[in-house]
Amino acid sequence: PRGRVGGTHRSAPTVPLHCALHSALCCVHLVARGDPLSAMSIEERFQDVSRRLGRELVGAREQLAEEKARLTSELEAERRRLAEELERRWSQIRVERQGVGFDRERLAIAEADITDEVLDLNVGGQLFSARRSTLCLYEGSYLANLFSGRWEASIERDSAGRYFLDFDPVCFRLVLNFLRSKRLESSAAPTPALQLAPEREEHF
């Protein structure tokens, strides 16, 4: 039974299990020596030992259950904390990646604005204006090599500083229009093949 001492509950002291077992064994030893102890007395002592053993086992199970519940609660709290921390860091990484992608996009646009300038050309006495990217559309072509930036210093210029190309202006217009169409083509609207009049073939 529990007593109330100083305002708190305290369990009444119990005899340790090994002491109770020792007492029961002593009773058996006394009976073996012929001491006047009844069989009922020994049976009662063994029952007392059994009850105490049962109580201690129940108490041990309860302590184990409480400890398991406490550890489970702590592990679940730690798991939730780690999951929240992981989600927070992933969110931060996504924001940083978006920022890097946005910066790269702005840099690409800025580079395109710098390199994709409009060039003024004097072709066979006729004036043309075209974007550098249009003239360099086909990598390895004559126009792409000419206006890629590596050989521009060697291109002849007219009195106004325009690039001068000693080509047939009619053929050049056909090529330029074809390149412009290729930049805008799609699978639904492919660019038609370049059509050239027979009399212009020798100038092409």
Side-chain angles (χ1 to χ4, degrees), residues 37 56 156 201:
L37 291 174
E56 291 192 8
E156 186 180 356
E201 291 181 359

Side-chain angles (χ1 to χ4, degrees), residues 155-188:
I155 303 176
E156 186 180 356
R157 294 175 182 265
D158 63 9
S159 58
R162 294 181 289 260
Y163 295 109
F164 177 76
L165 301 178
D166 192 16
F167 297 157
D168 178 32
V170 176
C171 292
F172 184 80
R173 184 182 300 277
L174 291 173
V175 173
L176 184 58
N177 289 338
F178 176 78
L179 293 175
R180 287 168 174 165
S181 298
K182 290 295 290 183
R183 289 190 61 185
L184 303 175
E185 76 172 347
S186 63
S187 58

